[in-house]
Amino acid sequence: MKFTELTVSTTAEAQELVADIMWNYTNYGVAISDVLDVVELLNDRKSTWDYVDEAVLKELNSKVTLVKAYIPLDITDETVKKITADLETLKENCKGNIETGSLETVKRVVDGDDWIEIWRKHYRPIELGNVLICPAWIERKPKEGQIEVIIDSNMAFGTGEHETTSMVLSLMQNYVKNAETVIDVGTGSGILGIAAAKLGAKKVVMTDIDYVAVKSAKHNCEINGVADKCEVDLNNLLDDKNITGDLVLANITADVLLILSDSIPSHVKNGGILIMSGIIKSRVNEVIDRYSSIDFELKERKDEGEWIALVMQKKSGGEGV
């Protein structure tokens, strides 16, 4: 199967915002290329090219990050139009706050096997406290006291690299050991739910609205040996789920978290912990104020770049069990 590889030139500061836009329109992979990879490629080709401008290499090294998305050929035109429109909106919204770079786009057609190799090239084991996130195709033994979460997904709905995921992984380690039931809303590849199961949660309920994500999460639960503790559902977030959690994880976006504020309270036990991420700085007060108004108290806040994660505790006597 062939794909269109859409490459956007941006900055390190805005790379995750661009990647998030691309993830809205493809299930087939988004990769952030370290600019050093580009410089290395150009240097390798000096022997076959007549001339490579050193000033170009210097400019690349200091400013440009490339974000690549892989899109099926039959929906390329309409998808690229939507991504381009969202990039224009991003540039406008970021004026005066975040440097987005040119946001120039380039397309080329690649074979499926090619993009999988490109995608895998960018994976590296990640250590977050007592958790080691490791791609299945890289051999690495966890340190003493670490638990290992193995991720094996060509579609790659998250590998722990994104600040929003890594912050939740770091924060949840302080609360998961006392959790009888953990709920992971929008589980993606299942990293958070699998880590919760390995860190001591007795039951983990993982939900996602994307079929490919659910399939990926179930596979990752199996290879990590926690399928017996994890229930993975294709579900519109928490709709029709009569369950409450001691710990609820929601790594989504500020907009969705605000929408879910009408339903999440009934799924968090009194005194339970809600960890939310995927929140950009400009929206964090809105999220805090909303959840504070429905009997949640802010316990911790973690900032990474433009992203923020919140730990909030449901007050006893609030809505729900």
Side-chain angles (χ1 to χ4, degrees), residues 37-295:
D37 293 338
V38 181
V39 175
E40 181 181 359
L41 174 63
L42 293 177
N43 282 323
D44 287 345
R45 293 186 178 179
K46 280 185 178 180
S47 60
T48 57
W49 288 357
D50 291 334
Y51 176 71
V52 176
D53 192 339
E54 294 294 339
V56 172
L57 295 182
K58 184 176 181 181
E59 182 74 8
L60 280 173
N61 191 41
S62 62
K63 293 185 178 180
V64 178
T65 294
L66 303 179
V67 184
K68 303 172 184 287
Y70 297 89
I71 305 164
L73 290 181
D74 60 339
I75 60 169
T76 290
D77 290 344
E78 59 188 276
T79 301
V80 171
K81 284 181 182 178
K82 292 175 181 177
I83 291 175
T84 302
D86 283 2
L87 290 173
E88 287 299 320
T89 300
L90 174 68
K91 191 166 190 173
E92 186 65 28
N93 291 340
C94 287
K95 277 184 179 178
N97 296 305
I98 300 172
E99 177 57 50
T100 61
S102 69
L103 297 181
E104 178 183 0
T105 60
V106 177
K107 295 184 294 183
R108 68 169 181 150
V109 176
V110 298
D111 288 324
D113 288 344
D114 291 340
W115 78 252
I116 289 171
E117 289 306 313
I118 293 169
W119 177 241
R120 287 185 169 187
K121 177 183 176 182
H122 295 278
Y123 279 9
R124 296 291 183 272
I126 302 167
E127 293 185 57
L128 295 165
N130 293 326
V131 178
L132 172 68
I133 309 295
C134 192
W137 51 90
I138 296 177
E139 291 189 12
R140 177 169 170 180
K141 292 183 178 180
K143 297 176 182 177
E144 185 177 352
Q146 279 186 330
I147 64 106
E148 181 182 32
V149 175
I150 302 169
I151 296 300
D152 180 21
S153 173
N154 288 339
M155 303 310 177
F157 283 83
T159 62
E161 294 176 297
H162 197 298
E163 291 98 328
T164 61
T165 305
S166 63
M167 286 191 290
V168 177
L169 275 168
S170 297
L171 290 167
M172 65 183 280
Q173 293 177 53
N174 298 323
Y175 303 95
V176 69
K177 289 182 180 178
N178 297 322
E180 184 82 19
T181 301
V182 174
I183 301 173
D184 180 15
V185 180
T187 193
S189 58
I191 286 179
L192 298 177
I194 292 166
K198 288 196 165 188
L199 286 166
K202 294 179 176 60
K203 179 180 180 180
V204 182
V205 177
M206 304 152 71
T207 72
D208 206 291
I209 60 175
D210 190 295
Y211 169 77
V212 180
V214 169
K215 183 178 178 181
S216 173
K218 286 182 177 180
H219 171 66
N220 287 327
C221 286
E222 290 171 0
I223 65 175
N224 280 278
V226 294
D228 59 328
K229 298 174 67 174
C230 296
E231 174 188 335
V232 187
D233 296 325
L234 180 64
N235 196 284
N236 187 16
L237 301 175
L238 292 172
D239 289 357
D240 304 320
K241 298 295 294 184
N242 185 22
I243 188 170
T244 56
D246 307 280
L247 175 62
V248 176
L249 312 173
N251 180 24
I252 317 176
T253 66
D255 286 328
V256 177
L257 290 169
L258 290 170
I259 293 170
L260 286 178
S261 65
D262 291 331
S263 59
I264 275 187
S266 63
H267 296 282
V268 183
K269 292 182 179 179
N270 287 334
I273 295 293
L274 170 63
I275 301 180
M276 298 179 286
S277 191
I279 308 166
I280 59 174
K281 285 184 177 179
S282 62
R283 305 296 301 278
V284 66
N285 288 335
E286 192 177 352
V287 175
I288 292 173
D289 290 346
R290 174 56 183 155
Y291 278 84
S292 295
S293 73
I294 51 173
D295 295 316

